[in-house]
Amino acid sequence: MKSITKTCICPRCHQTLEHYHGTYIRKVQDLPILGKNVQLQIKAHEYICNNEACPVRTVAETFNGFLNANRRMTQRCEDFICMLALETSCEGCARICQAMNLYISGDSVIRFLTERYEAQPAPVCGETIGVDDFAFKKRSRYGTVIVDEATHRPVAVLNGRDSNTLKAWLRQNRQVKRITRDRAGAYASAIGEILPDAMQIADRFHLHQNLLVAVQNVLKSVVPADIKIPVDQEQSDGQHPEEKTATEGLKKKMMSW
C-alpha cells in the first residue's frame, strides 16, 4: 500500500504540514482473512514542521481511524481484540487470536486496555453520590466504589476501604452535598472531616441488611441451633416391630437345631 496524502497535522503544534521530508515503510498487522494472517506493508510519508517554536522537526503521518502513530496493528484490529478481551479475559483473548492466526500476547492485550482506559476523559460526578466497599479478593483485598446518583455509573474505584482513601477523593470533589453510604464508621468519619456540611444518608439496602442480621442474632439466642428429635427404641435398628419379633423367633429355632 502507498500513501497518497498531501498534508499532515503536527501532533505538538497542531499546524498543517505540507512539505515532504521523505518516505518510510510501515509493516502492520490487520484482521485475518479466512484464517490467514494479514500483514500490510505501507509506504508512508514524513513531513517537515516549519514552526520554529515547535520542538518537533519531522512528523510521520498517521492514518486516523485506520492506523495511528507508533502502532504495529490497525485500529479495527485493536478494536476487535479489546472487545474480545472484555467478553473473555486477556489470556483467553490471546489464545483465541493465536488460533485465528492473529499474533498477539496477553501482555499486549492488557496494554491496549490500559491505554484506552487512561485515554478516557475523567468522569465528573454531581452533588449526590453513593459510596460502598467491595472485595477484589474476599478476606484479602478490598476497595471502594463511588457511583453518581444522576447517571447510576461508577465515577471512581479506590484501592482500600479505610477513611484515608475516601478523604483523598473527597478533597478533589468538594461539590458533593449528599452521600449515601453504609453504616460503617470509617466512611462516616471521613465525610464528616472533609465535608462537614454534606448530608449523610443510610441507604435502604444496608438498613435492611443490618435489620436482617439483628433478627437472625435474636433468633439464634432464643431458638437452639440443634433440636433433638426423640426416636422410638423399637425402630432404632431400622426394623418394624413385627419383623423384629419374627427374626428373633427364627434365631431361636436355629439355635435349637
Side-chain angles (χ1 to χ4, degrees):
M1 304 177 68
K2 181 180 179 180
S3 173
I4 58 173
T5 60
K6 302 297 182 181
T7 60
C8 179
I9 303 298
C10 179
R12 294 295 184 88
C13 62
H14 304 289
Q15 289 189 3
T16 302
L17 312 180
E18 298 179 351
H19 299 286
Y20 287 133
H21 175 71
T23 59
Y24 69 104
I25 302 299
R26 295 185 65 178
K27 189 177 181 181
V28 297
Q29 187 174 200
D30 197 12
L31 288 173
I33 299 177
L34 297 178
K36 302 293 184 179
N37 181 264
V38 177
Q39 298 285 339
L40 304 179
Q41 188 170 343
I42 303 174
K43 187 176 182 181
H45 297 295
E46 284 184 337
Y47 290 85
I48 300 175
C49 183
N50 296 323
N51 186 5
E52 297 180 356
C54 181
V56 176
R57 294 293 88 190
T58 61
V59 177
E61 68 173 337
T62 60
F63 306 92
N64 293 328
F66 179 73
L67 180 61
N68 294 329
N70 302 323
R71 291 299 188 182
R72 299 291 183 180
M73 190 175 293
T74 59
Q75 185 66 36
R76 61 184 183 181
C77 192
E78 289 187 17
D79 293 341
F80 170 77
I81 291 173
C82 292
M83 180 178 64
L84 183 60
L86 292 175
E87 295 296 332
T88 56
S89 64
C90 293
E91 292 297 334
C93 172
R95 290 192 293 268
I96 295 174
C97 291
Q98 292 287 345
M100 298 170 56
N101 286 326
L102 183 59
Y103 304 141
I104 190 72
S105 65
D107 294 337
S108 296
V109 176
I110 295 175
R111 189 180 73 251
F112 287 166
L113 295 177
T114 303
E115 290 176 353
R116 295 199 171 198
Y117 172 76
E118 293 176 351
Q120 293 180 349
V124 180
C125 65
E127 296 181 351
T128 304
I129 62 172
V131 180
D132 198 5
D133 63 325
F134 69 98
F136 290 107
K137 184 178 181 181
K138 196 171 183 180
R139 292 186 295 271
S140 177
R141 181 167 170 254
Y142 291 86
T144 300
V145 60
I146 301 175
V147 180
D148 186 17
E149 186 273 338
T151 61
H152 294 185
R153 292 181 177 274
V155 295
V157 177
L158 311 179
N159 189 12
R161 57 176 181 177
D162 55 354
S163 60
N164 294 328
T165 303
L166 184 59
K167 286 179 185 178
W169 187 87
L170 291 176
R171 290 190 183 97
Q172 301 177 358
N173 296 270
R174 295 185 177 274
Q175 76 278 6
V176 176
K177 296 182 179 180
R178 292 171 294 274
I179 303 174
T180 62
R181 58 170 180 81
D182 59 9
R183 300 177 65 243
Y187 292 154
S189 61
I191 298 170
E193 180 178 345
I194 304 301
L195 300 176
D197 297 332
M199 179 186 298
Q200 301 188 36
I201 305 169
D203 56 76
R204 288 180 294 178
F205 170 78
H206 288 98
L207 289 177
H208 293 165
Q209 188 180 47
N210 297 147
L211 178 60
L212 179 61
V213 172
V215 172
Q216 289 177 345
N217 293 334
V218 171
L219 292 178
K220 288 179 182 179
S221 63
V222 176
V223 180
D226 298 330
I227 301 177
K228 297 182 179 180
I229 301 176
V231 181
D232 190 356
Q233 186 66 25
E234 294 181 351
Q235 299 180 2
S236 60
D237 55 359
Q239 290 184 337
H240 194 271
E242 297 180 356
E243 294 178 355
K244 186 175 181 181
T245 304
T247 303
E248 291 176 353
L250 181 59
K251 288 181 180 179
K252 290 180 181 180
K253 288 182 180 182
M254 293 179 65
M255 292 293 291
S256 62
W257 292 345

